[in-house]
């Protein structure tokens, strides 16, 4: 993972394919959200715009399309967008390195380990000697948690006792469909797309996190906010937080809200649409921030033990004030 200094240096040299000018800040009434191709942020943003939830909360939503996760991080660190959806551990790392960062829970839905419906793999112990695809790389939090869970419950070291393939999620999902992999640890949208094709979940990240002490489904991804943005555009940020929650509630309670979302989902059939919709709604954060923080501390400790400073940075705990409550106390 690039250091904060390296990312900022890269941002300074970035050729800005995003169509953005630098360095002028957007007006306080405009809030710029970075969105990835096929990312669910675009779903929520579509509802906010279609229902006028931005203007109703005193701001104008500007959705900035970004090429991928690296581009999103560079755009965020370089101030080209006001927020992106990012990882709790990355937010904590930035905070512990001295950058003022706030985290606003976005979703509790995480990835799962997928296998074909007729696979003989029924337990974690059955992964021994199998071809396992892993999305996200060797330091991905879901991979580190799965590896530790398999070691603790089955006494198997997947690093040496399985045939591993790290790669991009769409490629691994394709390889799993083609039978070139026996199992795949994938992000939730890919899992949802595989289910209608007859694949099943062997274990979910949520189950693993509970095994390591989480008291419920916790949000490991959230909107990231720079402390200066929260300070300088407090009313706009608070308005965005309200609009985000209102959009999720509309999607949860009004089937018509999905009319503007479905064209963005690349769902080829009704079964895929329903699976994606189900898992998105299941991930709406519902717990108090104090509970999120408590479970976040537990997970941080586990990840510090499993991934060390390469993963979590120099901090021993989550930085103070990391969670943004949406009420002006960020």
């Amino acid at each position: 993972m690039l250091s904060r200094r390296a990312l900022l240096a890269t941002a300074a040299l970035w050729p800005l394919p995003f169509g953005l000018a630098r360095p002028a800040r957007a007006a306080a009434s405009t809030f710029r959200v970075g969105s990835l191709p096929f990312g669910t942020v675009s779903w929520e943003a579509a509802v906010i715009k279609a229902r006028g939830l931005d203007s109703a909360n005193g701001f104008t939503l500007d959705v900035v399309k970004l090429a991928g996760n690296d581009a999103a991080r560079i755009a965020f660190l370089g101030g080209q967008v006001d927020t992106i959806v990012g990882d709790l551990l990355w937010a904590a790392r930035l905070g512990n390195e001295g950058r003022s960062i706030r985290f606003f829970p976005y979703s509790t839905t995480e990835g799962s380990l997928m296998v074909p419906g007729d696979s003989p793999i029924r337990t974690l112990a059955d992964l021994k000697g199998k071809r396992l695809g892993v999305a996200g790389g060797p330091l991905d939090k879901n991979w580190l948690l799965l590896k530790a869970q398999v070691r603790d419950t089955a006494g198997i070291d997947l690093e040496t006792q399985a045939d591993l393939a790290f790669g991009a999620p769409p490629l691994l999902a394709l390889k799993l469909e083609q039978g070139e992999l026996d199992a795949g640890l994938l992000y939730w949208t890919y899992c949802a797309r595989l289910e209608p094709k007859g694949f099943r979940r062997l274990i979910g990240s949520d189950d693993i996190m509970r095994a390591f002490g989480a008291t419920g489904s916790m949000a490991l991804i959230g909107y990231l906010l720079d402390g200066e943005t929260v300070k300088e555009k407090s009313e706009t940020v608070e308005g965005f937080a309200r609009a985000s929650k209102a959009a999720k509630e509309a999607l949860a309670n009004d089937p018509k809200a999905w009319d503007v979302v479905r064209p963005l989902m690349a769902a080829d059939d009704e079964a895929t649409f329903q699976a994606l919709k189900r898992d998105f709604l299941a991930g709406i954060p519902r717990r108090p921030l104090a509970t999120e923080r408590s479970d976040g501390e537990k997970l941080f400790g586990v990840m510090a033990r499993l991934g060390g400073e390469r993963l979590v940075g120099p901090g021993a705990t989550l930085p103070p004030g990391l969670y943004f409550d949406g009420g002006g106390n960020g």
Side-chain angles (χ1 to χ4, degrees):
M1 180 181 293
L2 291 174
S3 68
R4 179 170 63 94
R5 180 176 299 175
L7 279 170
L8 287 171
T10 306
L13 299 173
W14 195 259
L16 288 180
F18 322 125
L20 294 173
R22 192 197 291 121
R25 285 183 174 271
S29 61
T30 299
F31 197 76
R32 302 163 299 181
V33 178
S35 175
L36 303 185
F38 308 112
T40 61
V41 170
S42 66
W43 304 1
E44 184 170 293
V47 176
I48 290 175
K49 297 296 289 184
R51 302 211 164 192
L53 296 172
D54 52 350
S55 58
N57 285 283
F59 72 99
T60 299
L61 181 65
D62 181 13
V63 180
V64 181
K65 296 181 180 180
L66 303 171
N69 285 322
D70 288 341
R73 291 184 173 191
I74 291 169
F76 175 68
L77 291 174
Q80 296 154 12
V81 294
D82 293 310
T83 189
I84 59 172
V85 166
D87 186 274
L88 174 66
L89 294 178
W90 188 62
R93 182 185 185 114
L94 290 176
N96 283 328
E97 289 176 348
R99 180 152 183 155
S100 177
I101 294 293
R102 301 293 180 262
F103 178 90
F104 179 64
Y106 175 75
S107 178
T108 67
T109 301
E110 278 286 325
S112 296
L113 184 65
M114 302 295 292
V115 298
D118 59 357
S119 171
I121 300 174
R122 295 289 172 179
T123 69
L124 294 179
D126 296 330
L127 293 172
K128 184 177 181 180
K130 298 299 190 294
R131 299 167 299 174
L132 174 60
V134 179
L139 282 178
D140 179 78
K141 62 183 181 303
N142 292 321
W143 163 239
L144 292 174
L145 288 169
L146 174 66
K147 185 169 59 172
Q149 178 74 346
V150 173
R151 183 194 62 223
D152 292 349
T153 61
I156 296 171
D157 179 6
L158 291 178
E159 291 274 12
T160 59
Q161 294 179 284
D163 184 5
L164 301 178
F166 295 95
L171 176 61
L172 294 178
L174 178 62
K175 294 295 184 183
L176 190 58
E177 288 188 64
Q178 294 174 338
E180 296 182 32
L181 293 172
D182 299 308
L185 182 62
L186 303 171
Y187 303 149
W188 78 264
T189 51
Y190 296 93
C191 299
R193 294 181 189 279
L194 284 171
E195 277 192 349
K197 299 177 181 180
F199 289 78
R200 58 182 169 83
R201 300 169 193 254
L202 185 67
I203 190 171
S205 297
D206 189 64
D207 300 316
I208 300 175
M209 286 187 286
R210 290 173 188 264
F212 282 102
T215 60
S217 297
M218 62 180 295
L220 291 183
I221 57 173
Y223 284 112
L224 306 189
L225 302 160
D226 188 274
E228 286 300 309
T229 300
V230 174
K231 180 180 178 180
E232 295 175 9
K233 303 170 66 171
S234 60
E235 292 185 3
T236 301
V237 171
E238 291 166 21
F240 172 73
R242 292 192 299 269
S244 171
K245 292 178 180 179
K248 286 188 172 73
E249 289 305 314
L251 289 167
N253 297 302
D254 183 1
K256 291 184 178 180
W258 289 90
D259 291 347
V260 297
V261 175
R262 183 157 185 171
L264 306 173
M265 298 171 70
D268 296 331
D269 51 58
E270 182 66 16
T272 301
F273 167 68
Q274 292 296 337
L276 288 166
K277 176 181 176 180
R278 177 202 65 206
D279 287 357
F280 177 87
L281 294 178
I284 295 177
R286 301 290 187 187
R287 304 195 304 168
L289 284 185
T291 306
E292 286 289 328
R293 168 101 196 185
S294 176
D295 278 353
E297 289 283 9
K298 294 175 186 175
L299 180 71
F300 189 90
V302 172
M303 300 313 297
R305 174 170 59 85
L306 298 177
E309 189 170 334
R310 288 180 61 203
L311 178 64
V312 302
T317 62
L318 294 179
L322 177 64
Y323 284 87
F324 174 70
D325 65 7
N329 298 320

